Amino acid sequence: MTETEILFDLLEKGISPAHAVSACEKRLTDAGFEVVDYGTAWNLKAGGKYVVNHHETTLFAFTLPQNWSDREPAIRIAAAHTDFPCLRIKPSCDIQTNGYAQVNVEVYGGAILNTWLDRPLGVAGRVAVRSGDVFTPKVVTFQSEKNLMTIPNLAIHMNREVNKGVELNKQTELLPICGLSDDADYFLDFLAKELAVKKEDILDFELTIYNKEKPEFVGLNDEFISASRLDNLNSCSALVSAIIDSDRADGMNLIALFDHEEIGSRSKQGAGSILLHDMLVRILTECGLEKEVWNRLYNSMILSVDVAHGLHPNYAGKMDLTNKPVLGKGFCIKEACSQSYATDCGAVAVIQQICEKNQIPYQKFVNRSDLAGGGTLGSIASALLPVKTVDIGIPLLAMHSARELMAAADQQALKDLVSAYFG
């Protein structure tokens, strides 16, 4: 499969963080990675390849060398995130409005709200079901096989000012319609039937409303990919491909696919936890490097891989005066003196030299000085593991829309860079 075919497969399967992790884990195990559980003993072997699923929405995969050398960086890390801006269903979600069945939702992350209107929407995520042991409820994944919901726009005849811009109320104007019913608990009834369980045995859920439209090539020559969840499944896809292809014999490679980046990363599954640092210490200790843990740990490097803003031809004035990345010209190295992107000239120089040596196209992105940009997990993770860190990613248009746009060629450039970094 080509890198774009691999990406399309993950975009269609990764409809919630749990589904994205499951799809990435399967690719890795199919490629020979051994699953290890964080809560049990490990028996790591030289040259081994391992994957750790953490709370079902965060994933680590790493490869060990046959022999540890003193070559730096001893550990090469690449990190991305599995979550995306969307709508999440609240508990006790059923709402009846004049014969319409609706569900109560909240906004997850910084979504462009009006892009969620008038689209076919599905539901996917995790459901906790009653079990015999109260401390180990049964947690199952769920994916609707059909379109379940939609959020219709108000007709222009009832809102003549709509084309001048309308602010949507997150509580009252984003409630999806899922049917015609006056019954109570219609969504829970539906969910129980789909899962073949009793309604009263459904204890809680983490359910994402997602755009069910399939990814597509767009452009006269299929130059673009239009899809949901490009931010940040294109990075997850490239990192999984790169570590599968890696054959580094003198040091360790690791990918970390974190949840909760879109809401700040401060969680047990996020990059703002002790998890990455703790994981690396455990791996080094398991490898018998107790006396070398700290020099190995701090002779590491992190690639924070998340999408960047591409120049929009209709809004070119929103871009910096001299740094204007265009879709199709390669991935971006992202810099910000505020450290909203992890800016380290030494780490940036490493990536530039890798690109020049391997003829990999790249660009640089910096925000306009009078516009606040976003942030990534790079600065958060490097504050907890203070090593060389650089932010990179594929440029997008319509970032955080229900459907985003990227250049197809940039996926290969990103994958080639991470592969060379791991090589």
Side-chain angles (χ1 to χ4, degrees):
M1 295 174 69
T2 67
E3 284 306 311
T4 51
E5 289 172 333
I6 292 170
L7 172 60
F8 272 45
D9 184 63
L10 181 57
L11 291 170
E12 291 196 48
K13 291 177 178 175
I15 52 181
S16 77
H19 285 84
V21 163
S22 177
C24 291
E25 183 177 3
K26 186 175 189 308
R27 273 196 70 200
L28 289 159
T29 55
D30 287 349
F33 282 69
E34 179 184 342
V35 175
V36 291
D37 182 4
Y38 205 81
T40 61
W42 293 358
N43 182 25
L44 304 183
K45 299 178 177 64
K49 301 183 293 184
Y50 302 94
V51 60
V52 181
N53 184 324
H54 179 67
H55 288 287
E56 300 180 337
T57 64
T58 289
L59 178 142
F60 294 88
F62 57 94
T63 61
L64 297 176
Q66 290 291 345
N67 297 289
W68 289 84
S69 76
D70 293 327
R71 185 182 175 195
E72 295 186 14
I75 304 171
R76 301 179 191 174
I77 303 161
H81 65 88
T82 60
D83 61 326
F84 52 91
C86 61
L87 304 176
R88 292 281 178 94
I89 299 177
K90 293 181 178 180
S92 304
C93 60
D94 295 311
I95 299 174
Q96 295 89 21
T97 308
N98 297 313
Y100 291 99
Q102 295 180 277
V103 293
N104 193 9
V105 298
E106 57 186 326
V107 177
Y108 179 92
I112 302 177
L113 300 180
N114 61 13
T115 64
W116 286 85
L117 305 182
D118 304 323
R119 293 184 183 274
L121 302 173
V123 176
R126 303 189 296 169
V127 183
V129 179
R130 193 182 310 278
S131 70
D133 181 351
V134 298
F135 283 100
T136 56
K138 182 180 179 182
V139 178
V140 297
T141 56
F142 171 73
Q143 173 185 356
S144 62
E145 296 298 328
K146 63 179 183 179
N147 300 319
L148 295 180
M149 303 178 183
T150 189
I151 310 171
N153 247 305
L154 182 63
I156 194 169
H157 313 86
M158 299 177 182
N159 186 6
R160 295 288 184 180
E161 303 298 307
V162 64
N163 289 323
K164 295 181 180 180
V166 173
E167 181 180 0
L168 295 171
N169 183 286
K170 294 180 180 179
Q171 180 59 74
T172 61
E173 295 174 343
L174 287 176
L175 298 177
I177 296 173
C178 61
L180 297 170
S181 176
D182 291 314
D183 297 333
D185 296 336
Y186 44 82
F187 182 75
L188 274 183
D189 286 338
F190 168 82
L191 192 59
K193 182 179 179 181
E194 290 290 298
L195 297 175
V197 300
K198 296 178 180 179
K199 180 174 64 176
E200 55 269 25
D201 286 341
I202 296 176
L203 301 173
D204 199 25
F205 50 72
E206 296 170 8
L207 291 175
T208 294
I209 293 178
Y210 71 97
N211 181 6
K212 278 185 68 70
E213 297 169 325
K214 292 183 179 295
E216 292 185 36
F217 286 108
V218 176
L220 301 180
N221 297 298
D222 290 346
E223 297 99 326
F224 303 108
I225 295 172
S226 171
S228 300
R229 303 176 289 281
L230 291 176
D231 178 8
N232 189 32
L233 293 188
N234 59 16
S235 300
C236 294
S237 180
L239 266 55
V240 172
S241 290
I243 201 162
I244 287 173
D245 291 347
S246 68
D247 57 358
R248 187 175 172 216
D250 61 352
M252 173 180 155
N253 293 334
L254 180 142
I255 64 170
L257 309 182
F258 288 108
D259 195 4
H260 296 154
E261 190 276 342
E262 296 292 358
I263 54 171
S265 295
R266 294 184 64 84
S267 73
K268 67 184 184 300
Q269 292 122 295
S273 71
I274 197 174
L275 184 58
L276 177 59
H277 186 282
D278 191 52
M279 174 73 68
L280 294 172
V281 171
R282 176 166 184 178
I283 293 169
L284 291 170
T285 303
E286 294 267 0
C287 290
L289 299 173
E290 293 90 343
K291 295 181 180 180
E292 303 177 45
V293 163
W294 303 115
N295 70 312
R296 297 286 183 188
L297 190 66
Y298 290 104
N299 286 330
S300 303
M301 181 173 172
I302 299 174
L303 279 185
S304 168
V305 190
D306 200 349
V307 293
H309 295 287
L311 186 147
H312 194 307
N314 298 343
Y315 303 93
K318 295 291 186 180
M319 195 59 66
D320 181 59
L321 301 181
T322 57
N323 298 277
K324 303 178 179 182
V326 175
L327 273 60
K329 303 286 187 181
F331 73 91
C332 292
I333 298 172
K334 306 191 294 185
E335 300 189 44
C337 67
S338 67
Q339 293 296 317
S340 55
Y341 305 129
T343 297
D344 176 332
C345 69
V348 169
V350 170
I351 299 306
Q352 287 185 234
Q353 290 182 102
I354 291 174
C355 289
E356 291 164 5
K357 181 178 180 180
N358 294 277
Q359 298 183 315
I360 301 169
Y362 73 93
Q363 310 171 77
K364 287 194 175 181
F365 172 80
V366 184
N367 286 302
R368 273 185 65 104
S369 299
D370 54 358
L371 286 176
T376 71
L377 59 81
S379 292
I380 296 169
S382 62
L384 298 167
L385 181 66
V387 299
K388 286 182 179 178
T389 305
V390 60
D391 266 294
I392 66 171
I394 291 174
L396 293 190
L397 298 181
M399 188 188 297
H400 286 199
S401 171
R403 197 171 180 97
E404 300 160 322
L405 190 73
M406 64 173 276
D410 291 337
Q411 186 69 23
Q412 187 67 52
L414 180 63
K415 187 267 180 181
D416 289 346
L417 178 277
V418 184
S419 293
Y421 167 76
F422 279 157

